[in-house]
Amino acid sequence: MYDAYHMKLHSKVSAGRAARVSPSVRTEQKAETRERIVRAAAASVRRHGFAGAGVAEVMGDAGLTHGGFYAHFPSREAMLAAAADSAGADGVAQLARIAAAAPAGTGLEALADAYLSDRHVERAERGCPIAAAGSELARQAPAVRHAATERIKEMIDLIERHGGAWGEAAGHEQALARLSCMLGAMIIARAVDDASLAKAVRRAARRSVVADDR
């Protein structure tokens, strides 16, 4: 058992150690913790939707206590906006890498194959957040909608850059149609309880997406 002297000494040692942590280290640690929360929230949004991404659940998924939340975000809406931005950025980056690694002239096909794949259907928590929770966006706070909108624009730009009409007047319109087609197919594929129908919808969408690029 600690007596009063040893307890006081232990307290001084602990305080000394805390004091030796530099402001830059504390700032870095806080940024890392915030990123853990954002990534947990992004996964929760894709898995459960915006409505299902509660503060307590997200903090638990991040391995943190509920009480520390407001040291990183002023509100749940701020967390969701960061989550929408992070999830959207991840989705665009994944597809950009796939398209860039494809043989010359086949970037759009590679992108469409990845997006419409069985893997994407089955792993919503790591895929496109718009396909997973886009139907809820109209009911979200302006900051959340804005974050999602900016990432959707990046997705449109990515598809346009890998389309055959890139730089032409029709290129942007084709990219809009292609994204709409892929998104719709993914939503339907996840919604139905008929595996054959889910595959048929995605095959038809893939044909439509790449048809005008040949």
Side-chain angles (χ1 to χ4, degrees):
M1 298 270 311
Y2 277 115
D3 57 23
Y5 169 78
H6 285 95
M7 290 185 69
K8 185 175 181 180
L9 179 61
H10 177 73
S11 176
K12 287 183 177 179
V13 170
S14 298
R17 287 173 178 168
R20 287 197 293 272
V21 178
S22 69
S24 62
V25 170
R26 283 196 295 270
T27 299
E28 183 178 343
Q29 290 173 338
K30 184 173 182 180
E32 290 174 353
T33 300
R34 185 183 188 279
E35 181 62 19
R36 283 169 60 190
I37 298 171
V38 170
R39 293 203 169 275
S44 183
V45 165
R46 286 180 286 201
R47 188 166 53 245
H48 304 299
F50 288 98
V55 170
E57 292 78 9
V58 167
M59 293 296 282
D61 289 345
L64 302 166
T65 60
H66 187 181
F69 175 78
Y70 291 101
H72 303 280
F73 297 97
S75 65
R76 177 175 175 271
E77 287 70 25
M79 176 191 74
L80 293 180
D85 181 66
S86 176
D90 285 347
V92 173
Q94 287 177 31
L95 291 176
R97 287 193 295 270
I98 290 168
T106 64
L108 180 63
E109 292 183 43
L111 185 156
D113 286 341
Y115 193 93
L116 297 167
S117 66
D118 292 342
R119 182 182 179 87
H120 191 196
V121 172
E122 296 162 1
R123 302 182 71 181
E125 72 278 5
R126 297 189 179 184
C128 173
I130 307 305
S135 63
E136 297 180 50
L137 277 170
R139 299 185 294 278
Q140 300 307 307
V144 180
R145 296 183 68 190
H146 179 73
T149 298
E150 292 305 301
R151 296 306 183 183
I152 290 171
K153 289 178 180 178
E154 290 182 5
M155 183 72 159
I156 294 167
D157 181 65
L158 174 65
I159 294 171
E160 184 175 355
R161 282 188 283 114
H162 287 281
W166 184 44
E168 300 176 13
H172 186 67
E173 185 171 340
Q174 287 182 357
L176 293 173
R178 285 166 171 158
L179 177 57
S180 300
C181 184
M182 292 193 301
L183 268 172
M186 184 56 55
I187 291 169
I188 293 171
R190 288 178 177 160
V192 301
D193 66 354
D194 183 328
S196 296
L197 175 59
K199 285 184 179 293
V201 167
R202 286 179 288 136
R203 282 197 300 268
R206 196 242 184 225
R207 285 195 297 270
S208 179
V209 167
V210 304
D212 295 332
D213 199 46
R214 296 188 182 279

